[in-house]
Amino acid sequence: MNAIDLFSGAGGLTLALRDSGFKVLLANEVDAQFAETHSYNFPDIPLILEDIKNLGQDEIETVIKDQVVDLVVGGPPCQGFSVFGKRRFINTQGYEPQNDPRNALVYEYIRIVELLKPKFFFMENVKGFTNLDKGLFVEKIKERFMEIGYEDIWCEIVCAADYGVPQERYRMFMIGNRIGVKYEPPKKTNFPIGSGNTPEYATVGSAIMDLMGQENQVPNHVPLAHKPIVAARYGYVKEGCKLNVEDLPPELAVATRKDSKTGKVANYSHVYKRLDRDKPSTTMVPGHNAFPIHPALNRTLTAREAARIQTFPDTHIFFGTRQEQCIQVGNAVPPKMAEPFLKKIREYIETSEEVTP
């Protein structure tokens, strides 16, 4: 089974494809730092470092030759824009989303799918993708896929924790095919803690606590050097809770940001939130300042700890500055989240080829 990975990033979907039994013929990424990480971890997979807008049939065929592409995967970055705008019902006549530059990357992904005509496509995006313009945008995307021959499209919001990832991360998965298959998602493998069903959700503790004491000894496991006042504040954040500013002594409650309007430290949603070792993590948001606090230590997570929570193996190395590493980790699709869906696609393709005369 052959696949192509677009917007490949640090390789979350590439890893899931490999572990699902696919041969990745080609990856495409526009960011040089992401590409360095991808190429190091997948040295046998050709990667085109290029804006997808410049990726055409000649460039692709130069790499894949005459090999058949069974599956195209990718997660086009989404800006969270409103497609039709506030005056939707007045101004939408004649509006074509594919001509809106804000939608360019989504439609570039569709263009490559139309070019290669794989049996299946797998597209992932943020949860909010399905809510843009009250669902009108995602329906336009489905219509475009159907126009190019993908009549059977499955689209739902998926929780990573339901598939063994120690993180309550929600993503939109859209899967379509042109071989007449009615896609059924894989059964959930894990269940909420306390639900009475087993196995329960994987926890932060099971993923990262064994890394304590190995700082700077494991690749990408480099703690951020917090200012003393920030580390001291972390000490007042209880496990599984956000900071209660009222609990801080006066010397720690004073704002250190020059743009503060209150004179007191602000409790941003992720900056002062400590993970609970006995529960799944909240979503790993890109960027070092947004990673939550370690369950037991007065620091934020390292890139390696976040990668563990994202289900990357320790052998997967991230390059760039510490912040760039964290962005790569946070942007990725957890490999173990995507893997069961890709395995299901592989099974459908195998079955269809068995019955094809």
Side-chain angles (χ1 to χ4, degrees):
M1 295 292 162
N2 296 327
I4 284 180
D5 187 3
L6 304 174
F7 310 100
S8 56
L13 279 178
T14 307
L15 190 59
L17 284 166
R18 189 188 68 186
D19 293 346
S20 302
F22 283 92
K23 177 184 178 183
V24 183
L25 301 178
L26 171 67
N28 172 236
E29 173 57 43
V30 69
D31 186 284
Q33 202 62 73
F34 282 59
E36 181 182 2
T37 293
H38 194 284
S39 295
Y40 177 87
N41 291 285
F42 306 102
D44 297 331
I45 296 176
L47 184 144
I48 297 179
L49 179 60
E50 182 64 81
D51 189 322
I52 191 172
K53 297 173 186 176
N54 301 324
L55 194 62
Q57 189 164 0
D58 290 343
E59 290 81 6
I60 294 173
E61 288 184 352
T62 297
V63 176
I64 70 171
K65 309 302 181 184
D66 57 354
Q67 297 181 87
V68 174
V69 178
D70 299 290
L71 170 66
V72 170
V73 308
C78 177
Q79 296 174 302
F81 49 77
S82 173
V83 177
F84 295 109
K86 294 179 181 178
R87 303 189 63 182
R88 170 186 307 123
F89 300 108
I90 299 174
N91 297 333
T92 55
Q93 283 194 347
Y95 176 84
E96 294 296 338
Q98 63 267 29
N99 297 328
D100 188 327
R102 297 170 299 179
N103 306 356
L105 295 178
V106 176
Y107 282 94
E108 287 295 334
Y109 175 87
I110 297 174
R111 178 181 65 84
I112 299 297
V113 170
E114 182 177 18
L115 182 70
L116 297 174
K117 297 179 175 58
K119 299 177 181 70
F120 272 83
F121 73 82
F122 173 99
M123 187 173 77
E124 66 84 25
N125 220 299
V126 295
K127 178 181 178 181
F129 191 93
T130 59
N131 297 325
L132 292 174
D133 283 296
K134 298 182 180 180
L136 292 175
F137 181 61
V138 76
E139 291 305 316
K140 284 285 186 180
I141 295 301
K142 288 181 182 178
E143 287 177 14
R144 182 68 187 115
F145 274 120
M146 287 189 281
E147 288 172 2
I148 62 174
Y150 293 84
E151 295 291 337
D152 297 281
I153 298 176
W154 175 88
C155 181
E156 285 188 15
I157 303 299
V158 178
C159 178
D162 290 339
Y163 294 93
V165 178
Q167 180 184 182
E168 291 194 77
R169 182 188 189 100
Y170 294 87
R171 302 292 289 187
M172 179 211 77
F173 284 177
M174 183 184 290
I175 297 171
N177 73 89
R178 61 178 184 84
I179 57 175
V181 170
K182 183 174 177 56
Y183 185 87
E184 293 289 339
K187 292 182 179 180
K188 298 175 181 179
T189 60
N190 295 71
F191 303 91
I193 294 170
S195 66
N197 297 315
T198 56
E200 293 184 327
Y201 282 169
T203 65
V204 168
S206 65
I208 71 169
M209 296 305 282
D210 65 313
L211 285 171
M212 287 179 62
Q214 297 188 58
E215 287 81 1
N216 301 302
Q217 299 175 36
V218 176
N220 306 119
H221 189 35
V222 181
L224 185 63
H226 297 292
K227 294 179 179 179
I229 190 172
V230 174
R233 287 171 184 158
Y234 288 164
Y236 286 84
V237 183
K238 298 176 182 178
E239 187 168 352
C241 299
K242 292 174 64 175
L243 171 68
N244 182 350
V245 178
E246 301 305 317
D247 290 342
L248 293 175
E251 65 272 17
L252 296 183
V254 176
T256 53
R257 290 175 61 103
K258 294 180 179 179
D259 58 355
S260 172
K261 296 179 180 179
T262 64
K264 277 192 171 184
V265 62
N267 183 15
Y268 299 105
S269 59
H270 291 281
V271 175
Y272 289 108
K273 172 70 182 293
R274 189 184 293 276
L275 296 178
D276 187 330
R277 74 191 75 189
D278 296 323
K279 295 179 180 179
S281 168
T282 50
T283 299
M284 289 292 102
V285 179
H288 68 271
N289 287 329
F291 279 167
I293 308 169
H294 189 281
L297 303 173
N298 291 333
R299 61 164 176 77
T300 53
L301 298 183
T302 65
R304 177 53 54 196
E305 288 164 336
R308 284 270 193 100
I309 290 171
Q310 285 276 68
T311 66
F312 280 97
D314 288 352
T315 53
H316 198 98
I317 311 301
F318 299 88
F319 289 84
T321 66
R322 185 186 186 283
Q323 184 173 9
E324 288 170 336
Q325 294 169 22
C326 292
I327 291 173
Q328 291 172 44
V329 172
N331 274 347
V333 180
K336 294 301 179 186
M337 178 186 188
E339 187 177 327
F341 291 84
L342 298 176
K343 284 183 175 177
K344 202 74 184 288
I345 290 174
R346 187 169 185 266
E347 291 170 6
Y348 278 125
I349 295 174
E350 289 175 338
T351 302
S352 70
E353 291 181 345
E354 288 173 3
V355 300
T356 300

